[in-house]
Amino acid sequence: MNFLLIDGAMDKIYFFSHFNNNSYNQSFESSKNNYEKFYLLLSDFLNQNNIDLSKLRHLFVNQGPGNFSGIRTSIAVAKGLSITRKLDLYGFNSYDLKDMNYLNIILLYEKGQLVKNLIKPLYIR
């Protein structure tokens, strides 16, 4: 399954993707400067790893709880991508992560525990 996961809710910005049987990830400092260039960071991540957005079907975004700016930016970019690229968008919670293992989110998806297009941000700071 080809997918992209965006997580800006915590102390870092994380991008994780599984594409053509390979997994890729990258993290960035959670800062105002990086929120301002969030899409450029994501675009560079996709380009560096030869991830073709047109071949992705699923997009996962952390909806919190966590950092207000990180959550808002992540959700805005995720919604924009889901609309323009016709990707299925799923929100997950920070509590769903176990030891920052994003494959746990895919297991929740496969079990039918994530709801498509239902994004409910949870802010703590």
Side-chain angles (χ1 to χ4, degrees):
M1 173 172 74
N2 291 337
F3 67 85
L4 172 64
L5 186 145
I6 299 172
D7 182 358
M10 304 312 268
D11 294 336
K12 292 190 179 260
I13 298 167
Y14 293 97
F15 301 133
F16 179 77
S17 183
H18 188 77
F19 185 74
N20 291 342
N21 297 317
N22 293 307
S23 293
Y24 306 96
N25 65 70
Q26 191 169 9
S27 66
F28 300 91
E29 177 186 356
S30 182
S31 68
K32 180 180 177 185
N33 185 45
N34 282 342
Y35 295 140
E36 290 175 358
K37 60 181 185 177
F38 194 93
Y39 185 74
L40 294 175
L41 295 173
L42 177 59
S43 181
D44 287 345
F45 167 75
L46 297 170
N47 289 333
Q48 288 171 4
N49 296 299
N50 297 315
I51 298 169
D52 184 353
L53 276 174
S54 67
K55 294 184 181 177
L56 295 177
R57 293 291 164 244
H58 305 289
L59 178 58
F60 301 91
V61 63
N62 189 341
Q63 58 193 3
N67 179 304
F68 176 83
S69 297
I71 293 169
R72 291 304 304 159
T73 304
S74 297
I75 290 173
V77 169
K79 283 186 175 183
L81 285 174
S82 73
I83 291 168
T84 59
R85 299 297 184 153
K86 296 179 176 56
L87 300 172
D88 293 336
L89 178 62
Y90 296 89
F92 66 92
N93 295 323
S94 298
Y95 305 124
D96 295 331
L97 289 174
K98 295 177 183 165
D99 300 322
M100 296 305 290
N101 184 351
Y102 290 108
L103 293 177
N104 289 329
I105 303 307
I106 304 312
L107 294 175
L108 292 175
Y109 163 78
E110 290 172 347
K111 291 178 182 178
Q113 295 179 345
L114 299 179
V115 180
K116 182 178 167 183
N117 295 325
L118 180 63
I119 305 299
K120 293 182 179 181
L122 303 168
Y123 308 110
I124 59 171
R125 40 183 165 158

